[in-house]
Amino acid sequence: MLIKNNLDLIHQQIQTACHQAQRPQSAVKLLAVSKTKPVEAIQEAIHAGQIAFGENYVQEGIEKIQYFSDKHPELEWHFIGPLQSNKTRLVAEYFDWMQTIDRAKIADRLNEQRSAYKKPLNVLIQINISDESSKSGIPPTEMLALAKHIENLPRLCLRGLMAIPAPTNNMAEQEKALSAMQTLFEELKAACPNQQIDTLSMGMSDDMNTAIACGSTMVRIGTAIFGQRNYS
Ligand SMILES: *Cc1c(COP(=O)(O)O)cnc(C)c1O
């Protein structure tokens, strides 16, 4: 019940943000980030109509995917954590989306390992937009080269970009990073007219409104749906 209420509230917030940005509510999808949460919590979210789930840890994600695969084949599973190259096979075999591509080697391995019997793996390039010490994502200047590389990989379907901007209380800084992502997204679409570039994954609880104003098509929310995580 609580999870359903949380989801209702977030859908309302998305609706308000879309209205303010003069975008249709259908333009922004909600990814429920279920890392560390048990299948019971995911089941509640499914009952409330949630379809897309994000996981950060390969093994944990696969256990959940297998648990729901018979009962809920409609679910969409997104890998959103950092990925070591020795774990690409599992992501290629089980997930529907991989949001954190940050080098050609990972893309090549996923392409080789994606079964011919499955739909191509949907992928996003992760951009390091805040230029922080964090190693996640590529610099914006490397986006087009990596996109052109992925375009030639038949078992991958390039869908767009993902970013995790550095947390900040400074609204101007937040907006600068998110609108830089919007610009890159437009550049990517123009450079890859034959790809189905339709996904800009950015916006978490703290920056959701600005992200939606800057063209986000997918917000990733965990704690506000499922409650605090316990890592012990
Ligand atoms: C954990 C995580 C989220 C969700 O974070 P919350 O603060 O729980 O909403 C979103 N995106 C990524 C990449 C994450 O790892």
Side-chain angles (χ1 to χ4, degrees):
M1 214 39 216
L2 195 60
I3 287 175
K4 185 188 181 327
N5 292 347
N6 291 343
L7 281 166
D8 287 346
L9 193 66
I10 291 160
H11 283 298
Q12 279 168 28
Q13 289 167 351
I14 292 173
Q15 185 177 23
T16 304
C18 284
H19 183 74
Q20 280 166 1
Q22 297 184 297
R23 300 177 61 204
Q25 186 178 5
S26 59
V28 180
K29 197 162 144 173
L30 173 61
L31 183 70
V33 177
S34 45
K35 63 183 174 214
T36 80
K37 295 298 173 180
V39 290
E40 291 77 12
I42 295 173
Q43 184 68 69
E44 260 189 82
I46 296 169
H47 277 147
Q50 183 64 31
I51 294 209
F53 292 90
E55 289 285 336
N56 292 55
Y57 311 103
V58 178
Q59 204 55 48
E60 180 193 336
I62 289 173
E63 281 166 25
K64 295 172 183 174
I65 292 169
Q66 288 179 320
Y67 180 88
F68 288 109
S69 64
D70 287 341
K71 252 187 354 173
H72 291 289
E74 77 279 12
L75 298 185
E76 203 180 82
W77 293 94
H78 294 239
F79 189 78
I80 60 171
L83 184 62
Q84 296 164 333
S85 57
N86 62 355
K87 298 236 174 99
T88 51
R89 180 176 298 281
L90 293 167
V91 170
E93 278 179 16
Y94 287 93
F95 282 82
D96 304 298
W97 288 69
M98 157 61 180
Q99 295 208 4
T100 53
I101 299 243
D102 60 359
R103 53 200 192 277
K105 181 183 170 193
I106 292 279
D108 290 341
R109 291 177 62 95
L110 290 167
N111 178 61
E112 274 163 33
Q113 293 163 345
R114 181 70 168 179
S115 153
Y117 299 104
K118 294 201 152 198
K119 285 190 211 155
L121 181 67
N122 295 298
V123 301
L124 303 179
I125 295 174
Q126 183 177 2
I127 304 286
N128 181 352
I129 200 62
S130 310
D131 197 28
E132 25 169 352
S133 48
S134 139
K135 298 280 181 298
S136 298
I138 56 166
T141 49
E142 292 171 19
M143 174 187 75
L144 286 180
L146 185 54
K148 289 289 154 192
H149 183 85
I150 294 171
E151 261 194 318
N152 291 319
L153 303 176
R155 304 304 300 142
L156 304 187
C157 181
L158 180 60
R159 299 292 293 270
L161 303 176
M162 179 270 204
I164 312 172
T168 170
N169 297 323
N170 180 330
M171 282 296 285
E173 234 170 72
Q174 184 181 85
E175 189 174 345
K176 189 173 150 215
L178 294 166
S179 73
M181 284 301 298
Q182 183 171 32
T183 304
L184 285 172
F185 186 53
E186 293 307 322
E187 271 175 44
L188 181 66
K189 278 196 249 182
C192 302
N194 299 322
Q195 299 286 309
Q196 189 189 342
I197 309 286
D198 58 4
T199 303
L200 180 54
S201 170
M202 63 184 192
M204 299 168 53
S205 298
D206 292 340
D207 61 354
M208 188 172 88
N209 289 348
T210 316
I212 289 174
C214 292
S216 166
T217 72
M218 186 182 289
V219 292
R220 307 179 307 260
I221 310 284
T223 309
I225 298 173
F226 296 110
Q228 292 292 334
R229 283 180 293 274
N230 181 353
Y231 282 101
S232 66

